[in-house]
PDB file of all heavy atoms in Angstrom:
ATOM      1  N   GLY Q  40      20.232  25.331 -25.981  1.00  0.00           N
ATOM      2  CA  GLY Q  40      20.406  25.398 -27.425  1.00  0.00           C
ATOM      3  C   GLY Q  40      20.359  26.806 -27.977  1.00  0.00           C
ATOM      4  O   GLY Q  40      21.194  27.195 -28.800  1.00  0.00           O
ATOM      5  N   LEU Q  41      19.380  27.571 -27.557  1.00  0.00           N
ATOM      6  CA  LEU Q  41      19.229  28.937 -28.071  1.00  0.00           C
ATOM      7  C   LEU Q  41      20.417  29.829 -27.691  1.00  0.00           C
ATOM      8  O   LEU Q  41      20.949  30.532 -28.560  1.00  0.00           O
ATOM      9  CB  LEU Q  41      17.907  29.530 -27.596  1.00  0.00           C
ATOM     10  CG  LEU Q  41      17.480  30.840 -28.229  1.00  0.00           C
ATOM     11  CD1 LEU Q  41      17.388  30.712 -29.744  1.00  0.00           C
ATOM     12  CD2 LEU Q  41      16.142  31.281 -27.668  1.00  0.00           C
ATOM     13  N   PRO Q  42      20.886  29.836 -26.441  1.00  0.00           N
ATOM     14  CA  PRO Q  42      22.072  30.654 -26.144  1.00  0.00           C
ATOM     15  C   PRO Q  42      23.301  30.209 -26.929  1.00  0.00           C
ATOM     16  O   PRO Q  42      24.072  31.049 -27.405  1.00  0.00           O
ATOM     17  CB  PRO Q  42      22.289  30.446 -24.638  1.00  0.00           C
ATOM     18  CG  PRO Q  42      20.949  30.106 -24.118  1.00  0.00           C
ATOM     19  CD  PRO Q  42      20.284  29.314 -25.197  1.00  0.00           C
ATOM     20  N   TYR Q  43      23.477  28.908 -27.091  1.00  0.00           N
ATOM     21  CA  TYR Q  43      24.612  28.412 -27.870  1.00  0.00           C
ATOM     22  C   TYR Q  43      24.514  28.903 -29.311  1.00  0.00           C
ATOM     23  O   TYR Q  43      25.496  29.389 -29.880  1.00  0.00           O
ATOM     24  CB  TYR Q  43      24.648  26.885 -27.815  1.00  0.00           C
ATOM     25  CG  TYR Q  43      25.794  26.271 -28.570  1.00  0.00           C
ATOM     26  CD1 TYR Q  43      27.061  26.236 -28.011  1.00  0.00           C
ATOM     27  CD2 TYR Q  43      25.621  25.751 -29.846  1.00  0.00           C
ATOM     28  CE1 TYR Q  43      28.135  25.687 -28.692  1.00  0.00           C
ATOM     29  CE2 TYR Q  43      26.678  25.201 -30.541  1.00  0.00           C
ATOM     30  CZ  TYR Q  43      27.929  25.160 -29.959  1.00  0.00           C
ATOM     31  OH  TYR Q  43      28.969  24.626 -30.644  1.00  0.00           O
ATOM     32  N   ALA Q  44      23.323  28.783 -29.889  1.00  0.00           N
ATOM     33  CA  ALA Q  44      23.124  29.228 -31.269  1.00  0.00           C
ATOM     34  C   ALA Q  44      23.295  30.739 -31.391  1.00  0.00           C
ATOM     35  O   ALA Q  44      23.837  31.224 -32.390  1.00  0.00           O
ATOM     36  CB  ALA Q  44      21.741  28.814 -31.753  1.00  0.00           C
ATOM     37  N   LEU Q  45      22.840  31.492 -30.402  1.00  0.00           N
ATOM     38  CA  LEU Q  45      23.001  32.947 -30.439  1.00  0.00           C
ATOM     39  C   LEU Q  45      24.469  33.351 -30.449  1.00  0.00           C
ATOM     40  O   LEU Q  45      24.893  34.173 -31.267  1.00  0.00           O
ATOM     41  CB  LEU Q  45      22.304  33.599 -29.239  1.00  0.00           C
ATOM     42  CG  LEU Q  45      20.801  33.725 -29.282  1.00  0.00           C
ATOM     43  CD1 LEU Q  45      20.287  34.220 -27.937  1.00  0.00           C
ATOM     44  CD2 LEU Q  45      20.371  34.663 -30.377  1.00  0.00           C
ATOM     45  N   VAL Q  46      25.243  32.781 -29.547  1.00  0.00           N
ATOM     46  CA  VAL Q  46      26.641  33.190 -29.417  1.00  0.00           C
ATOM     47  C   VAL Q  46      27.459  32.703 -30.609  1.00  0.00           C
ATOM     48  O   VAL Q  46      28.105  33.500 -31.290  1.00  0.00           O
ATOM     49  CB  VAL Q  46      27.236  32.673 -28.090  1.00  0.00           C
ATOM     50  CG1 VAL Q  46      28.724  32.954 -28.024  1.00  0.00           C
ATOM     51  CG2 VAL Q  46      26.540  33.321 -26.904  1.00  0.00           C
ATOM     52  N   ILE Q  47      27.422  31.412 -30.875  1.00  0.00           N
ATOM     53  CA  ILE Q  47      28.264  30.857 -31.937  1.00  0.00           C
ATOM     54  C   ILE Q  47      27.746  31.272 -33.310  1.00  0.00           C
ATOM     55  O   ILE Q  47      28.509  31.730 -34.166  1.00  0.00           O
ATOM     56  CB  ILE Q  47      28.331  29.319 -31.828  1.00  0.00           C
ATOM     57  CG1 ILE Q  47      28.897  28.901 -30.468  1.00  0.00           C
ATOM     58  CG2 ILE Q  47      29.155  28.732 -32.971  1.00  0.00           C
ATOM     59  CD1 ILE Q  47      30.291  29.399 -30.187  1.00  0.00           C
ATOM     60  N   GLY Q  48      26.450  31.104 -33.550  1.00  0.00           N
ATOM     61  CA  GLY Q  48      25.883  31.439 -34.851  1.00  0.00           C
ATOM     62  C   GLY Q  48      25.990  32.912 -35.176  1.00  0.00           C
ATOM     63  O   GLY Q  48      26.342  33.293 -36.298  1.00  0.00           O
ATOM     64  N   GLY Q  49      25.690  33.758 -34.212  1.00  0.00           N
ATOM     65  CA  GLY Q  49      25.795  35.200 -34.444  1.00  0.00           C
ATOM     66  C   GLY Q  49      27.218  35.640 -34.697  1.00  0.00           C
ATOM     67  O   GLY Q  49      27.481  36.475 -35.564  1.00  0.00           O
ATOM     68  N   PHE Q  50      28.153  35.057 -33.950  1.00  0.00           N
ATOM     69  CA  PHE Q  50      29.549  35.424 -34.159  1.00  0.00           C
ATOM     70  C   PHE Q  50      29.997  35.002 -35.556  1.00  0.00           C
ATOM     71  O   PHE Q  50      30.675  35.758 -36.255  1.00  0.00           O
ATOM     72  CB  PHE Q  50      30.432  34.783 -33.098  1.00  0.00           C
ATOM     73  CG  PHE Q  50      31.870  35.203 -33.199  1.00  0.00           C
ATOM     74  CD1 PHE Q  50      32.260  36.472 -32.821  1.00  0.00           C
ATOM     75  CD2 PHE Q  50      32.828  34.338 -33.693  1.00  0.00           C
ATOM     76  CE1 PHE Q  50      33.579  36.878 -32.932  1.00  0.00           C
ATOM     77  CE2 PHE Q  50      34.147  34.728 -33.805  1.00  0.00           C
ATOM     78  CZ  PHE Q  50      34.524  35.996 -33.424  1.00  0.00           C
ATOM     79  N   LEU Q  51      29.630  33.794 -35.984  1.00  0.00           N
ATOM     80  CA  LEU Q  51      30.000  33.343 -37.330  1.00  0.00           C
ATOM     81  C   LEU Q  51      29.309  34.184 -38.404  1.00  0.00           C
ATOM     82  O   LEU Q  51      29.884  34.440 -39.462  1.00  0.00           O
ATOM     83  CB  LEU Q  51      29.647  31.873 -37.502  1.00  0.00           C
ATOM     84  CG  LEU Q  51      30.472  30.892 -36.670  1.00  0.00           C
ATOM     85  CD1 LEU Q  51      29.931  29.479 -36.835  1.00  0.00           C
ATOM     86  CD2 LEU Q  51      31.936  30.965 -37.027  1.00  0.00           C
ATOM     87  N   LEU Q  52      28.090  34.607 -38.137  1.00  0.00           N
ATOM     88  CA  LEU Q  52      27.352  35.411 -39.096  1.00  0.00           C
ATOM     89  C   LEU Q  52      27.966  36.798 -39.263  1.00  0.00           C
ATOM     90  O   LEU Q  52      28.094  37.304 -40.383  1.00  0.00           O
ATOM     91  CB  LEU Q  52      25.890  35.537 -38.651  1.00  0.00           C
ATOM     92  CG  LEU Q  52      24.968  36.350 -39.544  1.00  0.00           C
ATOM     93  CD1 LEU Q  52      24.758  35.614 -40.862  1.00  0.00           C
ATOM     94  CD2 LEU Q  52      23.646  36.575 -38.847  1.00  0.00           C
ATOM     95  N   PHE Q  53      28.366  37.424 -38.168  1.00  0.00           N
ATOM     96  CA  PHE Q  53      28.883  38.786 -38.204  1.00  0.00           C
ATOM     97  C   PHE Q  53      30.404  38.866 -38.307  1.00  0.00           C
ATOM     98  O   PHE Q  53      30.972  39.950 -38.278  1.00  0.00           O
ATOM     99  CB  PHE Q  53      28.445  39.556 -36.953  1.00  0.00           C
ATOM    100  CG  PHE Q  53      26.968  39.783 -36.884  1.00  0.00           C
ATOM    101  CD1 PHE Q  53      26.214  39.282 -35.843  1.00  0.00           C
ATOM    102  CD2 PHE Q  53      26.323  40.496 -37.875  1.00  0.00           C
ATOM    103  CE1 PHE Q  53      24.858  39.498 -35.778  1.00  0.00           C
ATOM    104  CE2 PHE Q  53      24.964  40.717 -37.819  1.00  0.00           C
ATOM    105  CZ  PHE Q  53      24.226  40.212 -36.771  1.00  0.00           C
ATOM    106  N   GLU Q  54      31.074  37.744 -38.431  1.00  0.00           N
ATOM    107  CA  GLU Q  54      32.531  37.737 -38.435  1.00  0.00           C
ATOM    108  C   GLU Q  54      33.128  38.519 -39.601  1.00  0.00           C
ATOM    109  O   GLU Q  54      34.129  39.212 -39.443  1.00  0.00           O
ATOM    110  CB  GLU Q  54      33.020  36.285 -38.488  1.00  0.00           C
ATOM    111  CG  GLU Q  54      34.504  36.137 -38.417  1.00  0.00           C
ATOM    112  CD  GLU Q  54      34.914  34.674 -38.408  1.00  0.00           C
ATOM    113  OE1 GLU Q  54      34.085  33.800 -38.710  1.00  0.00           O
ATOM    114  OE2 GLU Q  54      36.075  34.436 -38.116  1.00  0.00           O
ATOM    115  N   HIS Q  55      32.518  38.444 -40.773  1.00  0.00           N
ATOM    116  CA  HIS Q  55      33.081  39.085 -41.958  1.00  0.00           C
ATOM    117  C   HIS Q  55      32.306  40.322 -42.392  1.00  0.00           C
ATOM    118  O   HIS Q  55      32.469  40.783 -43.519  1.00  0.00           O
ATOM    119  CB  HIS Q  55      33.138  38.077 -43.109  1.00  0.00           C
ATOM    120  CG  HIS Q  55      33.997  36.895 -42.800  1.00  0.00           C
ATOM    121  ND1 HIS Q  55      35.368  36.970 -42.691  1.00  0.00           N
ATOM    122  CD2 HIS Q  55      33.682  35.602 -42.543  1.00  0.00           C
ATOM    123  CE1 HIS Q  55      35.852  35.792 -42.407  1.00  0.00           C
ATOM    124  NE2 HIS Q  55      34.851  34.934 -42.299  1.00  0.00           N
ATOM    125  N   VAL Q  56      31.477  40.873 -41.518  1.00  0.00           N
ATOM    126  CA  VAL Q  56      30.706  42.066 -41.845  1.00  0.00           C
ATOM    127  C   VAL Q  56      31.573  43.296 -41.602  1.00  0.00           C
ATOM    128  O   VAL Q  56      32.230  43.421 -40.569  1.00  0.00           O
ATOM    129  CB  VAL Q  56      29.411  42.129 -41.001  1.00  0.00           C
ATOM    130  CG1 VAL Q  56      28.661  43.421 -41.251  1.00  0.00           C
ATOM    131  CG2 VAL Q  56      28.535  40.925 -41.302  1.00  0.00           C
ATOM    132  N   GLU Q  57      31.576  44.197 -42.562  1.00  0.00           N
ATOM    133  CA  GLU Q  57      32.348  45.436 -42.435  1.00  0.00           C
ATOM    134  C   GLU Q  57      31.524  46.476 -41.663  1.00  0.00           C
ATOM    135  O   GLU Q  57      30.310  46.395 -41.595  1.00  0.00           O
ATOM    136  CB  GLU Q  57      32.673  45.980 -43.817  1.00  0.00           C
ATOM    137  CG  GLU Q  57      33.548  45.073 -44.644  1.00  0.00           C
ATOM    138  CD  GLU Q  57      34.941  44.916 -44.061  1.00  0.00           C
ATOM    139  OE1 GLU Q  57      35.467  45.901 -43.502  1.00  0.00           O
ATOM    140  OE2 GLU Q  57      35.480  43.801 -44.157  1.00  0.00           O
TER     141      GLU Q  57
END
Side-chain angles (χ1 to χ4, degrees):
L41 190 57
Y43 181 79
L45 283 172
V46 173
I47 301 300
F50 184 73
L51 292 175
L52 180 68
F53 294 119
E54 183 177 14
H55 299 290
V56 175
E57 297 294 324

